[in-house]
Amino acid sequence: MPAAGFLPFTGPTLAAGERGCAMRVLYLLNVSNPNRLSADSGFTFADLLAPALTDAGVEVTVAAPVPAGDRRVGFEPTVSPATKYRARFDPGVCGLADLVRRTRPEVVVANQIETAPAVRAALLEAGRDALIAGYCHYLPFSFTDGGRLVADPSLDDGGLGHSVMLAFAAGLAACDRVLVHSSTSASWTTAAAARMGVELAQKLHVVPAPRDGRLVRDPAEAAAPEGRARAIYGHRLYAHYGTDRFAALARRLVTEAPVELTVLDLFGTRSPERVRLDPSPERHRDQLAALDGVTIASDRGDRIRYRDLLAGAHFGIAPFRAGCPWSMSVIDCQGMGLPVIAPRTGWLAEHIDEDLLFDTADQAVAIATRLATDSEFYRVHAKLAHAATADLTPARVAARYLEALR
């Protein structure tokens, strides 16, 4: 029987030696939403990055429950973990060792940092010497205004939050390279690691996630609103994303500002197991659907429909998530030339233009009103939003990725 998470090899792929001497990268990808890939930022990242690395001459194999879209990218099927805790605590060393023997990587990318010690053990067991690069796709902690390190509430079921943070620190220690999205994320990761006795030294690199070329539009095509605007909120409706605060702001926007609001239902009908673990998305979806002026929409997992929904909006709203290190949905909006208003926190304060940051709901309503009624202000920020993603093409991100690996 294969170890937990890994399926027996069934594909007719060539041995590494038969495919030339390009750098061999094994990309270990945990997909938390295999039935709704459009809502899984980790998969989207890999699906954009792997072909760009291939274009750069890298031989990439993605080990995941679903293959990357580019047929040039190798694929090793894995089983999606039943819960987010299995993804962190049950990586399956035996299956990893078998995978390493088959693919013979020179670099292993652990998209789930907590699995890095198991990857190191698997390399030892398989007799392979490969560099381990961990991508901090998600930080399981945040810092209070007073500088206190706290566990992410979404990973604290049954009091597991502290254990997850320790597992994350163990993963950082096992990595040869640690990649993060932003300067903010680098600062937080360094501070958290130091408090848990891990020195990152020279192995930490900032490598932002790529934008999706399908979601890029000339800002000149984004028509300025004429006294009334449609805003879009495209983030997960979990409680830990600050959805209570967003819902309170949504109520004020549709009653006090010339704004209509579309909220994306990214998950659709979730499994009973996922609902039981965290029912907050369904609760918040119903709460928002009850508001006049708010429309709940779904992209139904279709990237073209998602693009159309963005194209029909005038501006986006960032999440209120504590310790937000990066947001794919924010980048999606900006690539389409949509200004994004955001709470002044985390990476958002680093990335969003000062004119669109707010500390209070009153400020947020005022900014939204100005976007809806001041055409020149809107056009300036549509151009700035688009420009903020110019360096995030998959090719440029792949080049930064490879620079970090060398």
Side-chain angles (χ1 to χ4, degrees):
M1 292 292 289
F6 289 87
L7 295 173
F9 178 65
T10 58
T13 59
L14 298 175
E18 298 173 326
R19 291 181 287 187
C21 57
M23 177 193 293
R24 292 187 301 274
V25 173
L26 174 62
Y27 197 110
L28 303 177
L29 178 62
N30 167 43
V31 176
S32 57
N33 299 286
N35 298 321
R36 187 61 73 92
L37 292 176
S38 62
D40 195 294
S41 57
F43 174 80
T44 299
F45 185 165
D47 197 37
L48 296 170
L49 180 65
L53 290 173
T54 301
D55 289 339
V58 179
E59 182 183 300
V60 184
T61 297
V62 173
V66 289
D70 193 312
R71 294 177 63 86
R72 298 173 300 160
V73 177
F75 173 54
E76 287 278 347
T78 65
V79 176
S80 184
T83 71
K84 53 194 170 186
Y85 297 109
R86 282 207 179 203
R88 289 166 169 82
F89 297 132
D90 188 19
V93 175
C94 180
L96 281 170
D98 288 342
L99 180 59
V100 165
R101 292 187 187 99
R102 289 196 300 272
T103 58
R104 300 171 59 204
E106 295 166 298
V107 177
V108 180
V109 176
N111 200 51
Q112 193 79 56
I113 287 286
E114 294 90 340
T115 66
V119 172
R120 181 71 68 192
L123 288 169
L124 288 171
E125 186 174 314
R128 297 292 304 177
D129 182 17
L131 180 146
I132 301 176
Y135 203 99
C136 298
H137 190 70
Y138 188 100
L139 301 182
F141 54 80
S142 62
F143 288 91
T144 66
D145 290 340
R148 185 167 63 91
L149 179 66
V150 294
D152 190 306
S154 72
L155 292 167
D156 197 24
D157 301 284
L160 280 170
H162 191 63
S163 296
V164 170
M165 284 199 291
L166 291 174
F168 187 85
L172 295 176
C175 288
D176 300 297
R177 303 285 190 277
V178 174
L179 312 183
V180 295
H181 291 99
S182 62
S183 297
T184 299
S185 184
S187 175
W188 289 343
T189 301
T190 300
R195 296 189 188 195
M196 291 181 274
V198 177
E199 176 57 55
L200 296 182
Q202 302 302 311
K203 64 184 181 181
L204 185 68
H205 299 264
V206 175
V207 181
R211 72 182 185 184
D212 187 340
R214 296 166 293 185
L215 304 175
V216 177
R217 178 181 63 171
D218 187 327
E221 298 178 24
E226 299 179 354
R228 189 163 191 84
R230 176 163 289 279
I232 191 164
Y233 184 85
H235 311 283
R236 300 178 183 188
L237 298 178
Y238 289 122
H240 65 275
Y241 271 63
T243 312
D244 273 335
R245 292 181 63 192
F246 164 67
L249 175 60
R251 185 176 292 106
R252 291 196 57 182
L253 286 176
V254 297
T255 57
E256 300 175 26
V259 170
E260 297 174 356
L261 177 61
T262 296
V263 175
L264 298 188
D265 176 13
L266 298 177
F267 291 141
T269 302
R270 296 192 301 154
S271 69
E273 293 78 16
R274 289 189 178 276
V275 173
R276 184 166 57 250
L277 193 59
D278 185 351
S280 61
E282 286 74 17
R283 183 178 70 250
H284 286 307
R285 182 183 60 198
D286 294 344
Q287 174 189 14
L288 289 160
L291 296 177
D292 290 337
V294 174
T295 300
I296 306 296
S298 173
D299 64 6
R300 299 192 290 269
D302 184 333
R303 209 66 175 165
I304 294 176
R305 176 170 167 76
Y306 177 51
R307 188 187 194 282
D308 289 343
L309 287 167
L310 293 179
H314 294 106
F315 69 90
I317 302 174
F320 285 78
R321 177 181 156 199
C324 180
W326 167 78
S327 168
M328 180 180 73
S329 299
V330 167
I331 299 299
D332 292 345
C333 284
Q334 291 182 316
M336 292 289 289
L338 302 184
V340 177
I341 69 172
R344 192 189 308 275
T345 182
W347 166 78
L348 298 169
E350 171 190 336
H351 181 74
I352 301 293
D353 188 84
E354 173 68 23
D355 286 345
L356 303 182
L357 295 173
F358 57 83
D359 297 295
T360 67
D362 286 343
Q363 292 171 350
V365 171
I367 295 169
T369 299
R370 189 173 182 189
L371 286 171
T373 58
D374 185 336
S375 296
E376 182 59 27
F377 180 76
Y378 180 85
R379 291 190 183 96
V380 166
H381 282 286
K383 292 178 181 178
L384 290 174
H386 185 268
T389 73
D391 288 333
L392 301 182
T393 65
R396 292 185 181 183
V397 171
R400 293 182 67 166
Y401 214 96
L402 291 175
E403 183 181 352
L405 296 182
R406 294 191 174 104

